Amino acid sequence: TYRSLTRIKMKGIDVIDLPTFCETALGMIPVYHVDDSWFISEPILGVRKTIYNQKGKIILDKLLSLLGLIVTSPLFLLIAVAVKMDSQGPVIYRQQRVGKGGQVFNLYKFRSMQTDAEANGAVWASQNDPRVTRVGYFIRRLRVDEIPQFWNVLRGDMSLVGPRPERPEFVKDLLQDIPYFSLRHIVAPGITGWAQVSYPYGASRQDAIEKLQYDIYYIKNLSPLLDFVILARTMKIVFFGRGAR
């Protein structure tokens, strides 16, 4: 097979491997078609000690998240009153997530589910999830339930852009089932990310595999330009309300 491919290449025809094709054409890295040698030989921009990775991205995160809190502050009281009137329970919901280096932190959101939504343990969200309250449905569609996560960014738990942090209950199993899943924890998790703007809302193990392939692409190609593209696409998604559950 390799000899045939060599003959084809010697005729002036380009031959590329599957990971390179997927990265170039689809914006993803096929996780089941790469190995340790691939990661060693390929440049991984997200782990390089550049000015942007070490300082620029952090400064922009804090400035933009502070601006985000200021701009959205008029919504806080309206959302708080709506959440409180619609169902019993706290306005702000805390949920443990796994961040950079595998560290667990509390992620903050406006509560959009019933307080007993996970009385029987953690479960993936689903389309038309019956646990979502009436107000929760609307704030999820508008994505304003995510606003408190600007505070997570200010605290240093998260970045504006990065792999979406998963819950410890799910991560424990996904680390065992999916190769290179731990690479998601090399960089800070984000409010939005390449996987979020490239793939529908994930709610299963298979979705976790698909999202990982986009997350690895992001880590490999992390740059100011890619972050800008992701933020621009996120604004478009928020405007049209696509992908919320």
Side-chain angles (χ1 to χ4, degrees):
T1 300
Y2 283 108
R3 184 166 297 177
S4 298
L5 291 174
T6 301
R7 286 198 296 267
I8 291 173
K9 189 165 186 177
M10 291 304 104
K11 292 180 180 180
I13 300 173
D14 289 335
V15 177
I16 61 175
D17 58 18
L18 181 61
T20 301
F21 171 79
C22 289
E23 180 179 3
T24 304
L26 304 176
M28 58 181 284
I29 304 296
V31 69
Y32 287 105
H33 294 275
V34 294
D35 54 21
D36 292 350
S37 62
W38 184 88
F39 284 100
I40 293 172
S41 62
E42 290 289 323
I44 311 297
L45 302 184
V47 300
R48 289 185 174 177
K49 295 181 179 180
T50 64
I51 294 177
Y52 181 68
N53 289 347
Q54 293 189 306
K55 293 184 178 180
K57 186 174 173 69
I58 296 173
I59 293 173
L60 285 175
D61 279 342
K62 293 188 181 299
L63 289 176
L64 292 177
S65 58
L66 180 59
L67 178 62
L69 284 173
I70 294 172
V71 170
T72 59
S73 59
L75 296 174
F76 277 49
L77 182 59
L78 292 175
I79 296 173
V81 171
V83 170
K84 202 67 178 178
M85 291 181 64
D86 185 49
S87 61
Q88 294 183 345
V91 171
I92 300 294
Y93 179 68
R94 294 188 302 174
Q95 190 177 72
Q96 286 193 329
R97 298 293 178 99
V98 179
K100 185 175 181 180
Q103 296 296 311
V104 176
F105 67 96
N106 286 319
L107 178 141
Y108 298 95
K109 302 177 69 173
F110 283 118
R111 183 174 59 82
S112 60
M113 288 189 176
Q114 302 289 348
T115 54
D116 61 350
E118 295 190 333
N120 297 320
V123 295
W124 296 97
S126 62
Q127 189 71 38
N128 300 318
D129 199 316
R131 300 172 299 165
V132 176
T133 64
R134 289 171 299 179
V135 169
Y137 172 80
F138 287 105
I139 64 175
R140 281 180 169 228
R141 292 294 297 179
L142 297 173
R143 300 299 178 97
V144 294
D145 64 317
E146 310 280 359
I147 289 175
Q149 288 167 48
F150 284 131
W151 176 245
N152 283 116
V153 177
L154 281 176
R155 283 169 47 91
D157 300 324
M158 299 175 64
S159 172
L160 287 176
V161 180
R164 188 64 183 164
E166 293 286 3
R167 302 177 61 179
E169 299 91 333
F170 300 147
V171 169
K172 181 179 179 181
D173 293 331
L174 295 173
L175 284 171
Q176 297 178 353
D177 296 341
I178 305 175
Y180 301 111
F181 188 82
S182 62
L183 294 182
R184 298 177 82 256
H185 305 142
I186 289 177
V187 298
I191 296 177
T192 186
W194 185 242
Q196 291 93 297
V197 302
S198 302
Y199 187 80
Y201 187 97
S204 68
R205 177 185 176 279
Q206 184 58 42
D207 287 332
I209 296 173
E210 297 295 336
K211 290 194 300 179
L212 173 63
Q213 298 180 127
Y214 290 102
D215 287 333
I216 292 178
Y217 172 91
Y218 172 74
I219 294 169
K220 182 179 184 296
N221 296 281
L222 194 156
S223 69
L225 178 60
L226 182 55
D227 279 353
F228 174 80
V229 169
I230 293 169
L231 289 172
R233 288 193 183 184
T234 300
M235 295 304 296
K236 182 178 179 180
I237 291 172
V238 169
F239 181 78
F240 289 105
R242 179 171 63 85
R245 287 194 185 178

